[in-house]
Amino acid sequence: MIENRVTVRAAAKKFGVSKSTVHKDLAERLPLCNRALWMQVKEILEENKAQRHIRGGMATRRKYRGA
């Protein structure tokens, strides 16, 4: 996730698990194992959260424009 700055959805697809599993592992379990790594992941999660309304709007636009 850190190397490619991907979303939780993309990470879940890559590893073949659910988004809930990825999110729980990153948000709850990782801070207990590796605090420094968690701080890096947390930045990416916050960035993705701030951008999700934009991504959603772009997806809706593509859906109705047929592109």
Side-chain angles (χ1 to χ4, degrees):
M1 190 165 188
I2 294 171
E3 290 176 13
N4 299 320
R5 301 191 70 81
V6 296
T7 62
V8 170
R9 182 177 297 219
K13 189 173 184 179
K14 169 80 174 160
F15 293 107
V17 296
S18 71
K19 293 183 300 180
S20 299
T21 301
V22 172
H23 194 273
K24 185 170 185 83
D25 287 348
L26 295 176
E28 294 180 15
R29 295 184 181 126
L30 186 58
L32 301 175
C33 299
N34 188 336
R35 190 98 174 145
L37 185 60
W38 176 72
M39 293 301 284
Q40 293 175 330
V41 170
K42 184 179 172 194
E43 286 180 29
I44 296 170
L45 290 174
E46 289 174 359
E47 178 182 328
N48 288 340
K49 186 176 179 181
Q51 293 175 354
R52 71 180 170 195
H53 69 284
I54 296 169
R55 287 193 192 109
M58 290 176 4
T60 302
R61 185 176 187 182
R62 280 193 305 272
K63 177 181 176 180
Y64 289 106
R65 284 207 170 164

